Amino acid sequence: MSGIDPESAALIAKLVQEDEYLGGVFDSDSDEDTKAVQRRRRRKETNASRKASARQPRTSKSASPKVSTDEQLQSPQETGVRSHFRQGAWGADEEERFVEAMELYGRDWKKAAEHIATRSADAIRSRCQKWMIKLYIEGTPLPAKMQESGVGHTLSGQPLDESSAAFRAVADAKSYRAECKQRKKSANEEKLTHVNEVENANVGSSAT
């Protein structure tokens, strides 16, 4: 810097320093601007993804489930669907169709339910067990179609056990119910006695 007076040289040096400082500031701002652009881009991508998800069709919660034929032949406990089958005492027309179903389809409960139409497969099995026990007591053999799956007067076709609760409930219903009632009464009395003994023991331990 020959020929430049000291005052001018000092001014030039000051300007150079200011340029270097401003250049650093601008570079830093440029980095911040780039990061801001990236953040805006990510927000746009996220918003676009949310909008796309919102446009997808939703499954209706109010739609009723379809019930297959097999489910219709089952009990409401098995399917969770309200049953259209009858409850309670069997009518004379149902009894007639029941016997027909046993003669035609034997232990095929699904076909029997289709034939009777007003009772579930569970109800038919229960009815059939009582019916077969009555035939056993009368000494009447099962229909030929039922004997194909077993000659015994049981749902499985095995020989009937006369000591079983199912047999006794049908063969001697009155005395069997009385016996069950007495057993229940005895169990309740034993439970009450045990409770009293525990309470008395607690009172005694508290007094000491």
Side-chain angles (χ1 to χ4, degrees):
M1 295 184 179
S2 58
I4 301 177
D5 58 285
E7 185 177 355
S8 298
L11 179 60
I12 292 172
K14 183 178 180 180
L15 292 174
V16 170
Q17 290 177 354
E18 289 178 354
D19 288 341
E20 290 176 353
Y21 172 76
L22 293 174
V25 171
F26 291 147
D27 290 341
S28 177
D29 290 344
S30 177
D31 291 340
E32 292 297 327
D33 291 343
T34 301
K35 292 179 180 179
V37 170
Q38 292 176 348
R39 284 195 297 269
R40 287 195 296 271
R41 184 180 300 162
R42 284 195 295 268
R43 282 198 297 269
K44 288 181 180 180
E45 292 175 353
T46 301
N47 293 336
S49 177
R50 290 176 180 173
K51 291 179 180 179
S53 299
R55 284 196 296 269
Q56 293 180 355
R58 296 181 179 179
T59 304
S60 175
K61 295 182 179 179
S62 60
S64 300
K66 293 183 178 180
V67 181
S68 65
T69 303
D70 289 344
E71 290 175 333
Q72 291 176 358
L73 298 176
Q74 296 173 347
S75 66
Q77 290 79 10
E78 294 174 329
T79 62
V81 179
R82 180 174 294 180
S83 174
H84 64 278
F85 296 117
R86 291 183 188 174
Q87 304 292 329
W90 285 55
D93 58 329
E94 290 179 310
E95 291 282 4
E96 184 178 350
R97 291 198 302 274
F98 168 80
V99 175
E100 290 175 353
M102 297 302 101
E103 293 174 346
L104 291 172
Y105 308 111
R107 293 182 177 88
D108 190 332
W109 312 118
K110 179 180 177 180
K111 289 184 178 179
E114 291 175 346
H115 183 81
I116 298 171
T118 56
R119 299 285 174 166
S120 68
D122 277 351
I124 294 170
R125 283 193 292 266
S126 177
R127 190 70 174 180
C128 184
Q129 180 63 84
K130 297 175 183 177
W131 177 70
M132 287 189 294
I133 291 174
K134 290 180 180 179
L135 293 182
Y136 177 87
I137 295 171
E138 296 169 359
T140 304
L142 297 175
K145 188 64 178 178
M146 295 196 74
Q147 293 188 32
E148 293 178 2
S149 56
V151 297
H153 291 65
T154 59
L155 296 178
S156 63
Q158 297 297 317
L160 180 63
D161 182 5
E162 293 186 5
S163 64
S164 66
F167 177 81
R168 293 173 62 196
V170 176
D172 192 4
K174 186 176 180 179
S175 60
Y176 179 73
R177 292 194 189 100
E179 182 181 341
C180 291
K181 185 177 181 180
Q182 182 59 40
R183 283 203 303 265
K184 184 176 181 181
K185 181 180 179 181
S186 299
N188 291 335
E189 290 175 351
E190 290 178 3
K191 183 177 180 180
L192 182 60
T193 300
H194 177 70
V195 171
N196 291 334
E197 290 175 353
V198 171
E199 290 179 351
N200 292 334
N202 291 336
V203 171
S205 61
S206 300
T208 58

